[in-house]
Amino acid sequence: MNSFEYAMPKRTADVFRALESSDSIIKAGGIDVLDLIKEGIAHPQRLVNINSIDELKYIEGNQTTGVKIGPGTTLAELASSEVLSGSYRALAQAAGSTATPQIRNSATLGGSLCQRPRCWYFRNKDYHCTRKGGFTCFAVNGENENHAIFENDFGCVMVHPSTTAVALIALGAKLTIASAKSSREILVEDFFVTPRENMHRENILEQGEIITAIHLPPAAKNMVSYYYKQKAKQSFDWPIAEVAVSMQLDGKKCQNPRVALGAAAPVPMRSKEAESALNNQEVTIDIAASVGKEAMKKATPLSQNKYKVHIFQAVIKRTVCWASDIDPFA
Amino acid sequence: MNKKWVGTNVPRKEGIEKVTGKSKYIDDLTFPDMIYGITVRSDVPRGTIRKIHFADNINWDEFTIVTIEDIPGENVVTLIESDQPFLADKEIRHQQEPILLLAHPDKSLLEEARRSIRIEVDELPAIFNIEESLNKKQIIYSDDNIIKEYLITKGNTDDVWDSAYKIVSEEYHTGAQEQLYIENNGMIAIANDEEVTVWGSMQCPYYIHKALMPLFDLPAEKIRIIQTATGGGFGGKEEYPSIIAGHAALLARKAQKPVKLMYDRAEDMVATTKRHPSHTRQKIAVDENGKLLAIDIDFVLDGGAYTTLSAVVLSRGAIHAAGPYACENIRIRARAVATNTPPQGAFRGFGAPQSIFAFERHLDLVAKQLNMCPVEFRKQNFLQQGSLNATGQKIEEEVRLDKVLDLALEKSQYFAKKKQFAVHNSQKNVKTYKGVGLASFYHGAGFTGSGEVYLASIVGARLTADGKVKVLAASTEIGQGTNTIFSQIAADALGIDYDMVEIETPDTSKVPNSGPTVASRTCMIVGKLVESAVCGIRDTLLKSNLLTSEYTSQQFITASKKYLEDFGELKIFVKYKPPAGIHWDEKNYRGSAYSAYAWAVYVAEVSVDKYTYEMQVDDFVAVQEVGEVVHPILAQGQIEGGVAQGIGYALYEDVVWRNGQMANNQMTNYIIPTSLDAPDIRVFFSEPFQPGGVRKGIGELPMDGTAPAVISAVENATGKHVCHVPLRPEDLMMLYRKET
Ligand SMILES: Cc1cc2nc3c(=O)[nH]c(=O)nc-3n(C[C@H](O)[C@H](O)[C@H](O)COP(=O)(O)OP(=O)(O)OC[C@H]3O[C@@H](n4cnc5c(N)ncnc54)[C@H](O)[C@@H]3O)c2cc1C
């Protein structure tokens, strides 16, 4: 770990100033940043702590107006938010199933979206992998049981770690990204970049830019949502497979479904195959199972993770059922 | 003797300090002028060092650099065989072999410096697993890769096979397991040409002491080893700390400054010892009533690159391999083989969990092929008082393993559950399959065979200035409760208050060698010595007429103070004496391997997700006979912890090997169950088999039977015969796939 300067701005405007030099990085809850520094992946000269900025911590609005969330909101706050208990519940479920209670009390939504991959080669200082500027993805021919089953033919086969992103994509959320000079809005599903687009980063943020708000669009009529993850141990763990679903349900008839998969690809991804298998269907256990099958049709598992394809089918089936208030085991 | 303290749940001796954060672990300590060390390791599994290059981006003058040239004595870690160097000379045998040591006042500069050293090596082909070693793909250890071999024979198995009603054979595998103590390894050393002092996290101060004498070519009194508060060990801090202590001391001697050498979690996991992976071949002959006629076991452990403790781990594994069952004809062939992985070492159970897993699983298979209830099958073959076990040891005590079994069956509702689950599993609309499974086993406490005789442990006791009693022993408190139980035992032996007993810090300049804190021996063997030592104090006070045979705690204090006034000091030392009737024939591996066995039956209940194959232990009943229970809460804690660790061994803990080293050496990737993943673990201690307060070790016991019970339950739920651990959901899926 190198020594660094520590900045504690009180307002968002001061953050931009503190971020001007290219070797500054933001610390929100610090859960990932601290690991990155310890693991020798990040070597900041300046750490800018945005955790002290109150104006980045809020949950505003409701299902009719849409909801705006400050990036400094903790996962624990999201998990217990009243506003997120109805149509938006996938986000509360996702936040609540991330990591452990202690971590959720510190970890923020902004940090959760911008955390770096958990690939064990990437995180191990002894492996100089493609994402760190090397020439080899050690997972391709190595231990890849936790790696991607989609988008895994281009130099890096990690899976994006963000659980909250999966729910946000299913809910059609947008981000406001701002820098000292400008501000823009972008759909969460367009925020992440694949290795093909850029091997060395996971999202489109430029130096000096931060996420300043997260927006959930107004909930459509009869909109329901659900998030579920399968993990190796039940107390807390990273997902083997995670799925978020939102849709409008008229009785059991599904419309405008959005199905997002996490731990499947180097980006949290929408499954268009799943969505078209679900759209305009009366949801039943069998339909839900076929949605799972469709979603996995184009999967290209690696040498050790065929198991994930099977798990995803089950997890998608269950998530679709639970979103529609059906017991998947009946 | 009246027992006031033994058998009660007194507060832990060091409990308050621990919960208030006052205990000082090694990384809490700093010394004036202290600098920080780091280990430069090999990055190839096998080869010959040609040259070491120091890149010029670093100002090397600022660093203390220790090479083999800086070793004043012998470059060898003294243990069973002296084959492991502190620093590789020419030859590299595994990827984590230490080659150089660096130290610097600024910790943050160490990592880059380490990376700026390039070891030029002529690489040699390496072997990484038991098959490759047995097939002699490369010869890397003596002339056949065999570190140690034992043969245990009883009767004649060859006479049985032809006439047997049924012969069942199968192979079983167990993986490595990381101890994952909560506190990483670390040491601080101060050293010069005349003397060496080391503080640190450890189980066995005198192992380090013994290893450092030849390394520094110094006599015993010039080496001082002091244990600091230690956050768990599970065997992982039995022998590896000698290496870290040696390294820290070499750096300190060269730097002429205190040196702290702390491993971070990644280094601790990748470089230090783990549980030996195993392969076992089982062949069992039975008659039509399910009587065991012959048992033939071929048990192989992967020892890694150096001998370390493999020979003794193997020995315990072999002796426990045929379990608590009576059989006239037994042959157990046991081998530990060398591979180019970091050496494997001690871990709770010490070889027994591996061989017991294979045997208990195999008994389930034999029962199935006999169409017999696995419980009945086991029960009718249990060892009884007077029977001879595999090594021919006559079971002297009045064993009632059937009673232990009955209690386990009752508490777990085994038969009712079995029926209920059969119905459940036949339904279509349920998420899970459910099952119950069981294992019966025993665990010998103390060192194997003549081990305790060779150790000849010594314990002392002395009076303190305020008239209390202090126990002098090198047995370490590593979270398991040593200090508490010693105090209970001493207080009862003397008939004084628990608070009047103090425990000396394990510091080799202050305590005698009471042997290592391993092999479930502390309570049973050392506890007994504590009793005799403090009785020596009392007898002296009685003899000097300062005390009469009836006395209060206050009178004891008064008498002690008076004694100190009159005579200056009172210190008593006692030495281990083997119990009568214990004979061990090391050459033929026959006789009394242990002076006492703890007996147990464990029952697990699991559910298995039909679609994702995720397995969850829903209930666990652990019944054991351990003689007298000194501290019920601590004892229960030992069992619960061991069961949780056993569940990890069975279902979660997968050491992924790559090129001869652990690839998932991070806690995100190496998964252990947390308390939330553990089921309700229901612990019961059965009535002691013998009167008279015999105590048997319990530390390792729960590690032995948990994995076979859990896997047996999975088998009951799924109908799949599972021959290996860890069993991950994806492995179970493959078993299903294989059939369809
Ligand atoms: C044991 C364990 C289990 C875990 N399990 C899960 C899991 O199941 N699912 C999951 O998703 N995560 C999991 N995590 C990861 C954890 O959720 C993230 O590390 C955490 O959410 C990061 O949030 P933070 O506020 O601490 O971010 P920080 O560590 O402070 O920052 C993370 C990154 O985000 C950047 N950043 C932070 N805020 C902003 C902003 N507003 N704009 C731009 N960039 C920003 C930082 O510069 C940094 O690069 C787990 C972590 C642990 C330790």
Side-chain angles (χ1 to χ4, degrees), chain B residues 555-582:
Chain B
Q555 286 166 331
F556 183 90
I557 290 181
T558 314
S560 301
K561 283 186 175 161
K562 183 82 176 74
Y563 186 96
L564 293 178
E565 248 174 63
D566 295 351
F567 303 100
E569 142 177 297
L570 178 55
K571 248 190 200 177
I572 301 280
F573 291 96
V574 295
K575 194 167 171 176
Y576 174 79
K577 278 198 226 70
I582 293 284

PDB file of all heavy atoms in Angstrom, chain B residues 555-582:
ATOM      1  N   GLN B 555      -6.634 -19.777  54.435  1.00  0.00           N
ATOM      2  CA  GLN B 555      -5.557 -20.452  55.181  1.00  0.00           C
ATOM      3  C   GLN B 555      -4.443 -20.898  54.235  1.00  0.00           C
ATOM      4  O   GLN B 555      -3.265 -20.861  54.583  1.00  0.00           O
ATOM      5  CB  GLN B 555      -6.122 -21.657  55.947  1.00  0.00           C
ATOM      6  CG  GLN B 555      -6.920 -21.236  57.154  1.00  0.00           C
ATOM      7  CD  GLN B 555      -7.761 -22.388  57.707  1.00  0.00           C
ATOM      8  OE1 GLN B 555      -8.177 -23.286  56.974  1.00  0.00           O
ATOM      9  NE2 GLN B 555      -8.019 -22.348  59.009  1.00  0.00           N
ATOM     10  N   PHE B 556      -4.814 -21.279  53.040  1.00  0.00           N
ATOM     11  CA  PHE B 556      -3.810 -21.682  52.065  1.00  0.00           C
ATOM     12  C   PHE B 556      -2.894 -20.503  51.743  1.00  0.00           C
ATOM     13  O   PHE B 556      -1.664 -20.621  51.716  1.00  0.00           O
ATOM     14  CB  PHE B 556      -4.488 -22.199  50.784  1.00  0.00           C
ATOM     15  CG  PHE B 556      -3.520 -22.706  49.758  1.00  0.00           C
ATOM     16  CD1 PHE B 556      -3.117 -24.041  49.752  1.00  0.00           C
ATOM     17  CD2 PHE B 556      -2.973 -21.853  48.798  1.00  0.00           C
ATOM     18  CE1 PHE B 556      -2.215 -24.511  48.811  1.00  0.00           C
ATOM     19  CE2 PHE B 556      -2.066 -22.308  47.855  1.00  0.00           C
ATOM     20  CZ  PHE B 556      -1.681 -23.645  47.860  1.00  0.00           C
ATOM     21  N   ILE B 557      -3.518 -19.344  51.532  1.00  0.00           N
ATOM     22  CA  ILE B 557      -2.726 -18.148  51.212  1.00  0.00           C
ATOM     23  C   ILE B 557      -1.769 -17.818  52.356  1.00  0.00           C
ATOM     24  O   ILE B 557      -0.585 -17.553  52.146  1.00  0.00           O
ATOM     25  CB  ILE B 557      -3.666 -16.946  50.934  1.00  0.00           C
ATOM     26  CG1 ILE B 557      -4.398 -17.185  49.602  1.00  0.00           C
ATOM     27  CG2 ILE B 557      -2.886 -15.633  50.894  1.00  0.00           C
ATOM     28  CD1 ILE B 557      -5.328 -16.078  49.184  1.00  0.00           C
ATOM     29  N   THR B 558      -2.306 -17.852  53.551  1.00  0.00           N
ATOM     30  CA  THR B 558      -1.464 -17.550  54.715  1.00  0.00           C
ATOM     31  C   THR B 558      -0.283 -18.513  54.789  1.00  0.00           C
ATOM     32  O   THR B 558       0.866 -18.098  54.983  1.00  0.00           O
ATOM     33  CB  THR B 558      -2.301 -17.654  56.009  1.00  0.00           C
ATOM     34  OG1 THR B 558      -3.533 -16.964  55.783  1.00  0.00           O
ATOM     35  CG2 THR B 558      -1.577 -17.043  57.193  1.00  0.00           C
ATOM     36  N   ALA B 559      -0.584 -19.785  54.610  1.00  0.00           N
ATOM     37  CA  ALA B 559       0.481 -20.794  54.677  1.00  0.00           C
ATOM     38  C   ALA B 559       1.523 -20.559  53.582  1.00  0.00           C
ATOM     39  O   ALA B 559       2.733 -20.640  53.818  1.00  0.00           O
ATOM     40  CB  ALA B 559      -0.122 -22.188  54.536  1.00  0.00           C
ATOM     41  N   SER B 560       1.050 -20.250  52.393  1.00  0.00           N
ATOM     42  CA  SER B 560       1.973 -20.037  51.272  1.00  0.00           C
ATOM     43  C   SER B 560       2.902 -18.874  51.552  1.00  0.00           C
ATOM     44  O   SER B 560       4.112 -18.946  51.333  1.00  0.00           O
ATOM     45  CB  SER B 560       1.200 -19.736  49.989  1.00  0.00           C
ATOM     46  OG  SER B 560       0.351 -20.804  49.702  1.00  0.00           O
ATOM     47  N   LYS B 561       2.300 -17.802  52.038  1.00  0.00           N
ATOM     48  CA  LYS B 561       3.118 -16.606  52.295  1.00  0.00           C
ATOM     49  C   LYS B 561       4.185 -16.906  53.347  1.00  0.00           C
ATOM     50  O   LYS B 561       5.327 -16.482  53.231  1.00  0.00           O
ATOM     51  CB  LYS B 561       2.234 -15.453  52.756  1.00  0.00           C
ATOM     52  CG  LYS B 561       1.467 -14.804  51.611  1.00  0.00           C
ATOM     53  CD  LYS B 561       0.726 -13.584  52.123  1.00  0.00           C
ATOM     54  CE  LYS B 561       0.045 -12.830  51.011  1.00  0.00           C
ATOM     55  NZ  LYS B 561      -1.007 -11.962  51.542  1.00  0.00           N
ATOM     56  N   LYS B 562       3.749 -17.638  54.348  1.00  0.00           N
ATOM     57  CA  LYS B 562       4.677 -17.991  55.416  1.00  0.00           C
ATOM     58  C   LYS B 562       5.827 -18.841  54.857  1.00  0.00           C
ATOM     59  O   LYS B 562       6.992 -18.627  55.181  1.00  0.00           O
ATOM     60  CB  LYS B 562       3.904 -18.778  56.500  1.00  0.00           C
ATOM     61  CG  LYS B 562       4.736 -19.147  57.717  1.00  0.00           C
ATOM     62  CD  LYS B 562       4.811 -17.963  58.695  1.00  0.00           C
ATOM     63  CE  LYS B 562       5.552 -18.303  59.988  1.00  0.00           C
ATOM     64  NZ  LYS B 562       7.002 -18.416  59.857  1.00  0.00           N
ATOM     65  N   TYR B 563       5.460 -19.770  53.968  1.00  0.00           N
ATOM     66  CA  TYR B 563       6.475 -20.637  53.377  1.00  0.00           C
ATOM     67  C   TYR B 563       7.503 -19.794  52.618  1.00  0.00           C
ATOM     68  O   TYR B 563       8.718 -19.975  52.763  1.00  0.00           O
ATOM     69  CB  TYR B 563       5.832 -21.664  52.432  1.00  0.00           C
ATOM     70  CG  TYR B 563       6.826 -22.678  51.921  1.00  0.00           C
ATOM     71  CD1 TYR B 563       6.962 -23.930  52.548  1.00  0.00           C
ATOM     72  CD2 TYR B 563       7.669 -22.394  50.842  1.00  0.00           C
ATOM     73  CE1 TYR B 563       7.895 -24.859  52.097  1.00  0.00           C
ATOM     74  CE2 TYR B 563       8.608 -23.308  50.380  1.00  0.00           C
ATOM     75  CZ  TYR B 563       8.708 -24.540  51.012  1.00  0.00           C
ATOM     76  OH  TYR B 563       9.633 -25.453  50.578  1.00  0.00           O
ATOM     77  N   LEU B 564       6.988 -18.849  51.843  1.00  0.00           N
ATOM     78  CA  LEU B 564       7.888 -18.007  51.049  1.00  0.00           C
ATOM     79  C   LEU B 564       8.796 -17.183  51.957  1.00  0.00           C
ATOM     80  O   LEU B 564       9.983 -17.006  51.677  1.00  0.00           O
ATOM     81  CB  LEU B 564       7.085 -17.096  50.118  1.00  0.00           C
ATOM     82  CG  LEU B 564       6.308 -17.816  49.008  1.00  0.00           C
ATOM     83  CD1 LEU B 564       5.499 -16.821  48.177  1.00  0.00           C
ATOM     84  CD2 LEU B 564       7.258 -18.606  48.096  1.00  0.00           C
ATOM     85  N   GLU B 565       8.230 -16.704  53.034  1.00  0.00           N
ATOM     86  CA  GLU B 565       9.020 -15.935  53.998  1.00  0.00           C
ATOM     87  C   GLU B 565      10.169 -16.783  54.561  1.00  0.00           C
ATOM     88  O   GLU B 565      11.300 -16.358  54.625  1.00  0.00           O
ATOM     89  CB  GLU B 565       8.125 -15.554  55.177  1.00  0.00           C
ATOM     90  CG  GLU B 565       7.827 -14.070  55.298  1.00  0.00           C
ATOM     91  CD  GLU B 565       6.812 -13.867  56.428  1.00  0.00           C
ATOM     92  OE1 GLU B 565       7.139 -14.181  57.607  1.00  0.00           O
ATOM     93  OE2 GLU B 565       5.689 -13.451  56.088  1.00  0.00           O
ATOM     94  N   ASP B 566       9.793 -18.020  54.922  1.00  0.00           N
ATOM     95  CA  ASP B 566      10.778 -18.894  55.565  1.00  0.00           C
ATOM     96  C   ASP B 566      11.803 -19.471  54.593  1.00  0.00           C
ATOM     97  O   ASP B 566      12.967 -19.624  54.920  1.00  0.00           O
ATOM     98  CB  ASP B 566      10.077 -20.066  56.268  1.00  0.00           C
ATOM     99  CG  ASP B 566       9.206 -19.572  57.421  1.00  0.00           C
ATOM    100  OD1 ASP B 566       9.309 -18.358  57.736  1.00  0.00           O
ATOM    101  OD2 ASP B 566       8.434 -20.379  57.973  1.00  0.00           O
ATOM    102  N   PHE B 567      11.315 -19.844  53.367  1.00  0.00           N
ATOM    103  CA  PHE B 567      12.219 -20.609  52.482  1.00  0.00           C
ATOM    104  C   PHE B 567      12.529 -19.925  51.147  1.00  0.00           C
ATOM    105  O   PHE B 567      13.232 -20.465  50.318  1.00  0.00           O
ATOM    106  CB  PHE B 567      11.620 -21.993  52.201  1.00  0.00           C
ATOM    107  CG  PHE B 567      11.340 -22.789  53.445  1.00  0.00           C
ATOM    108  CD1 PHE B 567      10.063 -22.869  53.978  1.00  0.00           C
ATOM    109  CD2 PHE B 567      12.380 -23.437  54.122  1.00  0.00           C
ATOM    110  CE1 PHE B 567       9.799 -23.601  55.123  1.00  0.00           C
ATOM    111  CE2 PHE B 567      12.124 -24.160  55.275  1.00  0.00           C
ATOM    112  CZ  PHE B 567      10.837 -24.247  55.780  1.00  0.00           C
ATOM    113  N   GLY B 568      11.912 -18.787  50.916  1.00  0.00           N
ATOM    114  CA  GLY B 568      12.267 -18.058  49.686  1.00  0.00           C
ATOM    115  C   GLY B 568      11.404 -18.377  48.495  1.00  0.00           C
ATOM    116  O   GLY B 568      10.814 -17.486  47.902  1.00  0.00           O
ATOM    117  N   GLU B 569      11.285 -19.649  48.139  1.00  0.00           N
ATOM    118  CA  GLU B 569      10.539 -19.954  46.919  1.00  0.00           C
ATOM    119  C   GLU B 569      10.022 -21.377  46.981  1.00  0.00           C
ATOM    120  O   GLU B 569      10.601 -22.221  47.657  1.00  0.00           O
ATOM    121  CB  GLU B 569      11.473 -19.737  45.711  1.00  0.00           C
ATOM    122  CG  GLU B 569      11.310 -20.724  44.597  1.00  0.00           C
ATOM    123  CD  GLU B 569      12.200 -20.457  43.382  1.00  0.00           C
ATOM    124  OE1 GLU B 569      12.051 -19.404  42.743  1.00  0.00           O
ATOM    125  OE2 GLU B 569      13.023 -21.338  43.066  1.00  0.00           O
ATOM    126  N   LEU B 570       8.881 -21.628  46.288  1.00  0.00           N
ATOM    127  CA  LEU B 570       8.411 -23.006  46.180  1.00  0.00           C
ATOM    128  C   LEU B 570       7.986 -23.299  44.748  1.00  0.00           C
ATOM    129  O   LEU B 570       7.039 -22.709  44.232  1.00  0.00           O
ATOM    130  CB  LEU B 570       7.249 -23.293  47.146  1.00  0.00           C
ATOM    131  CG  LEU B 570       6.676 -24.710  47.063  1.00  0.00           C
ATOM    132  CD1 LEU B 570       7.743 -25.783  47.247  1.00  0.00           C
ATOM    133  CD2 LEU B 570       5.577 -24.902  48.114  1.00  0.00           C
ATOM    134  N   LYS B 571       8.749 -24.174  44.121  1.00  0.00           N
ATOM    135  CA  LYS B 571       8.484 -24.548  42.732  1.00  0.00           C
ATOM    136  C   LYS B 571       8.537 -26.058  42.660  1.00  0.00           C
ATOM    137  O   LYS B 571       9.469 -26.663  43.167  1.00  0.00           O
ATOM    138  CB  LYS B 571       9.606 -24.013  41.849  1.00  0.00           C
ATOM    139  CG  LYS B 571       9.219 -22.906  40.899  1.00  0.00           C
ATOM    140  CD  LYS B 571      10.370 -22.642  39.926  1.00  0.00           C
ATOM    141  CE  LYS B 571      10.231 -21.273  39.319  1.00  0.00           C
ATOM    142  NZ  LYS B 571      11.337 -20.941  38.448  1.00  0.00           N
ATOM    143  N   ILE B 572       7.550 -26.667  42.052  1.00  0.00           N
ATOM    144  CA  ILE B 572       7.529 -28.121  41.922  1.00  0.00           C
ATOM    145  C   ILE B 572       7.412 -28.478  40.446  1.00  0.00           C
ATOM    146  O   ILE B 572       6.601 -27.882  39.718  1.00  0.00           O
ATOM    147  CB  ILE B 572       6.304 -28.719  42.656  1.00  0.00           C
ATOM    148  CG1 ILE B 572       6.326 -28.369  44.129  1.00  0.00           C
ATOM    149  CG2 ILE B 572       6.195 -30.220  42.415  1.00  0.00           C
ATOM    150  CD1 ILE B 572       7.226 -29.221  44.985  1.00  0.00           C
ATOM    151  N   PHE B 573       8.201 -29.422  40.000  1.00  0.00           N
ATOM    152  CA  PHE B 573       8.082 -29.896  38.616  1.00  0.00           C
ATOM    153  C   PHE B 573       7.745 -31.381  38.609  1.00  0.00           C
ATOM    154  O   PHE B 573       8.282 -32.139  39.420  1.00  0.00           O
ATOM    155  CB  PHE B 573       9.391 -29.666  37.857  1.00  0.00           C
ATOM    156  CG  PHE B 573       9.659 -28.213  37.618  1.00  0.00           C
ATOM    157  CD1 PHE B 573      10.489 -27.499  38.479  1.00  0.00           C
ATOM    158  CD2 PHE B 573       9.064 -27.551  36.556  1.00  0.00           C
ATOM    159  CE1 PHE B 573      10.725 -26.145  38.274  1.00  0.00           C
ATOM    160  CE2 PHE B 573       9.294 -26.192  36.351  1.00  0.00           C
ATOM    161  CZ  PHE B 573      10.128 -25.488  37.217  1.00  0.00           C
ATOM    162  N   VAL B 574       6.878 -31.792  37.710  1.00  0.00           N
ATOM    163  CA  VAL B 574       6.569 -33.222  37.592  1.00  0.00           C
ATOM    164  C   VAL B 574       6.697 -33.631  36.129  1.00  0.00           C
ATOM    165  O   VAL B 574       6.551 -32.816  35.224  1.00  0.00           O
ATOM    166  CB  VAL B 574       5.138 -33.548  38.081  1.00  0.00           C
ATOM    167  CG1 VAL B 574       5.012 -33.287  39.561  1.00  0.00           C
ATOM    168  CG2 VAL B 574       4.100 -32.755  37.299  1.00  0.00           C
ATOM    169  N   LYS B 575       6.973 -34.911  35.947  1.00  0.00           N
ATOM    170  CA  LYS B 575       7.241 -35.409  34.606  1.00  0.00           C
ATOM    171  C   LYS B 575       6.248 -36.514  34.275  1.00  0.00           C
ATOM    172  O   LYS B 575       5.854 -37.281  35.151  1.00  0.00           O
ATOM    173  CB  LYS B 575       8.662 -35.974  34.607  1.00  0.00           C
ATOM    174  CG  LYS B 575       9.214 -36.236  33.241  1.00  0.00           C
ATOM    175  CD  LYS B 575      10.720 -36.482  33.383  1.00  0.00           C
ATOM    176  CE  LYS B 575      11.315 -36.972  32.089  1.00  0.00           C
ATOM    177  NZ  LYS B 575      12.762 -37.109  32.216  1.00  0.00           N
ATOM    178  N   TYR B 576       5.901 -36.617  32.996  1.00  0.00           N
ATOM    179  CA  TYR B 576       4.938 -37.628  32.541  1.00  0.00           C
ATOM    180  C   TYR B 576       5.417 -39.046  32.827  1.00  0.00           C
ATOM    181  O   TYR B 576       6.574 -39.385  32.570  1.00  0.00           O
ATOM    182  CB  TYR B 576       4.718 -37.474  31.036  1.00  0.00           C
ATOM    183  CG  TYR B 576       3.846 -38.558  30.437  1.00  0.00           C
ATOM    184  CD1 TYR B 576       2.453 -38.508  30.561  1.00  0.00           C
ATOM    185  CD2 TYR B 576       4.406 -39.618  29.729  1.00  0.00           C
ATOM    186  CE1 TYR B 576       1.653 -39.491  30.011  1.00  0.00           C
ATOM    187  CE2 TYR B 576       3.612 -40.615  29.174  1.00  0.00           C
ATOM    188  CZ  TYR B 576       2.231 -40.556  29.320  1.00  0.00           C
ATOM    189  OH  TYR B 576       1.451 -41.523  28.772  1.00  0.00           O
ATOM    190  N   LYS B 577       4.510 -39.862  33.349  1.00  0.00           N
ATOM    191  CA  LYS B 577       4.797 -41.287  33.511  1.00  0.00           C
ATOM    192  C   LYS B 577       3.712 -42.042  32.771  1.00  0.00           C
ATOM    193  O   LYS B 577       2.530 -41.784  32.985  1.00  0.00           O
ATOM    194  CB  LYS B 577       4.766 -41.677  34.998  1.00  0.00           C
ATOM    195  CG  LYS B 577       6.039 -41.363  35.737  1.00  0.00           C
ATOM    196  CD  LYS B 577       6.067 -42.176  37.041  1.00  0.00           C
ATOM    197  CE  LYS B 577       6.470 -41.348  38.237  1.00  0.00           C
ATOM    198  NZ  LYS B 577       5.571 -40.351  38.743  1.00  0.00           N
ATOM    199  N   PRO B 578       4.092 -42.986  31.908  1.00  0.00           N
ATOM    200  CA  PRO B 578       3.052 -43.695  31.155  1.00  0.00           C
ATOM    201  C   PRO B 578       2.201 -44.542  32.092  1.00  0.00           C
ATOM    202  O   PRO B 578       2.723 -45.104  33.050  1.00  0.00           O
ATOM    203  CB  PRO B 578       3.839 -44.578  30.193  1.00  0.00           C
ATOM    204  CG  PRO B 578       5.204 -44.683  30.770  1.00  0.00           C
ATOM    205  CD  PRO B 578       5.442 -43.448  31.576  1.00  0.00           C
ATOM    206  N   PRO B 579       0.896 -44.608  31.816  1.00  0.00           N
ATOM    207  CA  PRO B 579       0.055 -45.454  32.645  1.00  0.00           C
ATOM    208  C   PRO B 579       0.480 -46.911  32.495  1.00  0.00           C
ATOM    209  O   PRO B 579       1.024 -47.303  31.454  1.00  0.00           O
ATOM    210  CB  PRO B 579      -1.350 -45.240  32.094  1.00  0.00           C
ATOM    211  CG  PRO B 579      -1.190 -44.520  30.804  1.00  0.00           C
ATOM    212  CD  PRO B 579       0.174 -43.938  30.754  1.00  0.00           C
ATOM    213  N   ALA B 580       0.211 -47.707  33.501  1.00  0.00           N
ATOM    214  CA  ALA B 580       0.605 -49.112  33.453  1.00  0.00           C
ATOM    215  C   ALA B 580      -0.149 -49.830  32.344  1.00  0.00           C
ATOM    216  O   ALA B 580      -1.273 -49.463  32.001  1.00  0.00           O
ATOM    217  CB  ALA B 580       0.305 -49.754  34.801  1.00  0.00           C
ATOM    218  N   GLY B 581       0.465 -50.841  31.789  1.00  0.00           N
ATOM    219  CA  GLY B 581      -0.225 -51.683  30.814  1.00  0.00           C
ATOM    220  C   GLY B 581      -0.286 -51.111  29.420  1.00  0.00           C
ATOM    221  O   GLY B 581      -1.008 -51.609  28.568  1.00  0.00           O
ATOM    222  N   ILE B 582       0.438 -50.047  29.176  1.00  0.00           N
ATOM    223  CA  ILE B 582       0.430 -49.457  27.839  1.00  0.00           C
ATOM    224  C   ILE B 582       1.721 -49.868  27.124  1.00  0.00           C
ATOM    225  O   ILE B 582       2.805 -49.478  27.525  1.00  0.00           O
ATOM    226  CB  ILE B 582       0.360 -47.917  27.951  1.00  0.00           C
ATOM    227  CG1 ILE B 582      -0.992 -47.494  28.529  1.00  0.00           C
ATOM    228  CG2 ILE B 582       0.613 -47.233  26.635  1.00  0.00           C
ATOM    229  CD1 ILE B 582      -2.136 -47.575  27.569  1.00  0.00           C
TER     230      ILE B 582
END
